[in-house]
Amino acid sequence: MNINRVDLNLLVYLDVLLRERNVTKAANHLGLSQPAMSNGLRRLRDLFEDPLLVRTSEGMTPTERALSLQPVIRDVLANVEKAVQPQSDFDPSASDRVYRIMASDYAEAVLFPQVLTRLRQEAPGVTLDIMTPSDVSFLDVEQGKVDMVINRFDSMPQSFHQTTLWKDGFSCMFSADNPIKDRFSLEAYLQAQHVWVSKTGMGVGVGVNPRDVQRLGWVDEALAKQGKKRRISVFTRHYQAAMLLAEQKDLIVTIPSKAAKLHADNKKVVVADPPFEVPQFELKMAWSPLLQNNAAHQWMRRLIVDVAHRNH
């Protein structure tokens, strides 16, 4: 391919077409007419010698070549944007920026009180819009509509930038009136009734199948490796609700240890180590390559990482 044939605008067209997968929507996004966008797609097909997008029963579907191009094109455009943007320092004390951050209520409860304390001191005009995992899709993050996402992730797009905020283990919480406190063994754990709590990744959740151990997470997988299975009475996606349910006399909640420590002074519950080994997990923060070089975004990332490492 002769580089002289490459029109930067065509790469912008391709980036939007692969996100929207619809010529009309892509045209509207770029403020172009549909014929102009169709002509752009024709030129792109000639340039790459590939159909790129093929009409199927499910709409416009990208070819294998198009999917391989997508992260490359995104990086090229991000670097071009970085090159042409004027270099300016970000002044947090004068900023009124709104940061939209997706976080599980575990991360929200454990991390953000200290983050807010720092923001009041360093950036009093900044606003946080904390969103739940079900509010956000990977596409929202990819397009920069959400500044960053903080959660446990089984997987995420390779194009995302990410960092580990901390590693955490698990603790058990149950009522101080629960007789199990005097004989907290694996056998007693398995005979008890349990609250399952988890919200990994992002996107709209689906119902839980109690028989599908592989999808129940770290705790149940650890038990399954020993040929054991616990009796789950309640499924919830909210850690705060689960910790309140731990006050009921006949329930055990097994949750991340940093969340359990929030209730260390609650005389109604007991916090104990699990009577079996559960692997640690990582809490990660991820963001779009489109925001990687944004000065305001870089400042917030540094603040969150600093708070996470200082206090945890």
Side-chain angles (χ1 to χ4, degrees), residues 79-138:
N79 286 328
V80 171
E81 183 179 4
K82 176 185 176 183
V84 301
Q85 278 185 342
Q87 294 295 313
S88 60
D89 294 330
F90 173 69
D91 181 3
S93 64
S95 176
D96 61 355
R97 193 184 193 281
V98 176
Y99 289 90
R100 291 180 172 82
I101 302 174
M102 185 228 77
S104 65
D105 70 329
Y106 157 63
E108 187 175 5
V110 177
L111 174 66
F112 278 92
Q114 292 96 337
V115 170
L116 286 170
T117 297
R118 286 279 298 274
L119 286 178
R120 291 191 195 98
Q121 297 168 353
E122 301 177 28
V126 159
T127 300
L128 291 186
D129 180 8
I130 302 176
M131 310 170 78
T132 67
S134 57
D135 292 332
V136 176
S137 68
F138 279 131

Side-chain angles (χ1 to χ4, degrees), residues 146-176:
V146 177
D147 285 290
M148 55 201 70
V149 291
I150 301 174
N151 205 352
R152 300 178 289 173
F153 296 96
D154 293 329
S155 63
M156 70 174 68
Q158 292 184 350
S159 62
F160 284 15
H161 294 273
Q162 60 176 286
T163 188
T164 298
L165 296 180
W166 65 60
K167 293 183 179 181
D168 199 2
F170 287 85
S171 296
C172 296
M173 287 181 63
F174 46 84
S175 170

Side-chain angles (χ1 to χ4, degrees), residues 214-259:
Q214 295 299 319
R215 294 182 178 273
L216 291 180
W218 286 266
V219 175
D220 296 279
E221 286 183 18
L223 285 171
K225 288 180 180 179
Q226 300 186 38
K228 308 294 184 182
K229 185 177 181 180
R230 60 178 175 164
R231 297 157 62 188
I232 301 172
S233 298
V234 180
F235 290 86
T236 179
R237 280 75 176 165
H238 303 283
Y239 290 92
Q240 297 297 327
M243 288 187 280
L244 290 174
L245 290 172
E247 296 179 7
Q248 299 208 10
K249 188 176 179 179
D250 59 343
L251 292 175
I252 297 178
V253 180
T254 306
I255 58 173
S257 296
K258 295 183 189 300

Side-chain angles (χ1 to χ4, degrees), residues 12 111 113 118-119 145 168 190 192 209 212 236 276 284 300:
V12 175
L111 174 66
R118 286 279 298 274
L119 286 178
K145 295 178 181 178
D168 199 2
L190 295 174
N209 181 355
D212 191 351
T236 179
F276 57 98
K284 290 182 175 290
M300 177 59 81

